[in-house]
Amino acid sequence: GAGVSQSPRYKVAKRGQDVALRCDPISGHVSLFWYQQALGQGPEFLTYFQNEAQLDKSGLPSDRFFAERPEGSVSTLKIQRTQQEDSAVYLCASSWEPGTGSLWDKNIQYFGAGTRLSVL
Amino acid sequence: AQKVTQAQTEISVVEKEDVTLDCVYETRDTTYYLFWYKQPPSGELVFLIRRNSFDEQNEISGRYSWNFQKSTSSFNFTITASQVVDSAVYFCALSAINSGNTPLVFGKGTRLSVIA
């Protein structure tokens, strides 16, 4: 079946612009995560949804970052008034919720190819 | 707090050589998951393996094998008879085991280059 899909793949923004990054999770996955990956670093957690509920947003670096998943499927990560330090790859991952679906898939996060954001 | 350390930043090997990628972790949790992911140039993180902390049995899958040693908090990954297609950045990751899904804590990755 289809994997996690992210769009756009590349985004160039001028400093101060707002951007919106989209994530389409694997069909049926109720858990969705956003990560930020700086150049040469490992991904770092931003926020987590279970269906439409945002259960953890402890990793969001500032109040300029906002994520939503209104219908429990597609999610959007929005960054307001972008800054140069926001330049990174933004990765989305989805997974089964424990207690549903395949036991083998429990807690395994499947990632999209990411959106590379460059803020000039 | 949880932490994953991948001390090897870059490794370069000649095709058909064996190579081991090191991973050391820190956690206060008594139960946890450990993972390895591969990130090819396309950017997508590809899941390779997940281990439970209560299962220290080593695992082999084709040319890949994993050595989990709880006593040294290590979860090393060996590729036997490496191939050019193995060239990628490899990440080790850790997560707690809770009733719900939990975020992954990643190491900084090891860039593996396999030269023909």
Side-chain angles (χ1 to χ4, degrees), chain A residues 48-87:
Chain A
Y48 159 54
F49 290 85
Q50 180 181 346
N51 293 305
E52 68 279 3
Q54 188 174 20
L55 299 186
D56 187 347
K57 53 182 180 179
S58 61
L60 295 177
S62 77
D63 57 8
R64 296 186 295 104
F65 286 71
F66 172 75
E68 60 182 6
R69 195 186 183 197
E71 298 178 358
S73 178
V74 171
S75 177
T76 303
L77 176 67
K78 297 179 179 178
I79 309 173
Q80 297 176 324
R81 304 181 303 282
T82 52
Q83 302 295 315
Q84 283 190 322
E85 61 262 29
D86 300 335
S87 296

Side-chain angles (χ1 to χ4, degrees), chain A residues 4 11 15 17 21 25 40 49 52 57-58 71 73 91 93 95 98 103 112 114:
Chain A
V4 177
K11 177 70 179 177
R15 192 173 59 177
Q17 281 185 332
L21 313 180
F49 290 85
E52 68 279 3
K57 53 182 180 179
S58 61
E71 298 178 358
S73 178
L91 293 165
S95 71
L103 287 177

Side-chain angles (χ1 to χ4, degrees), chain B residues 54-114:
Chain B
F54 43 87
D55 180 5
E56 289 194 65
Q57 188 173 14
N58 291 329
E59 185 157 337
I60 298 174
S61 176
R63 296 185 297 107
Y64 296 170
S65 63
W66 290 270
N67 184 338
F68 175 31
Q69 294 198 343
K70 207 168 181 177
S71 60
T72 56
S73 298
S74 66
F75 185 43
N76 296 337
F77 173 30
T78 297
I79 302 174
T80 303
S82 59
Q83 300 176 1
V84 172
V85 294
D86 296 327
S87 297
V89 181
Y90 291 85
F91 290 96
C92 181
L94 169 70
S95 77
I97 299 178
N98 293 329
S99 57
N101 266 301
T102 57
L104 296 172
V105 175
F106 286 87
K108 292 187 176 182
T110 297
R111 180 178 298 277
L112 174 65
S113 298
V114 181

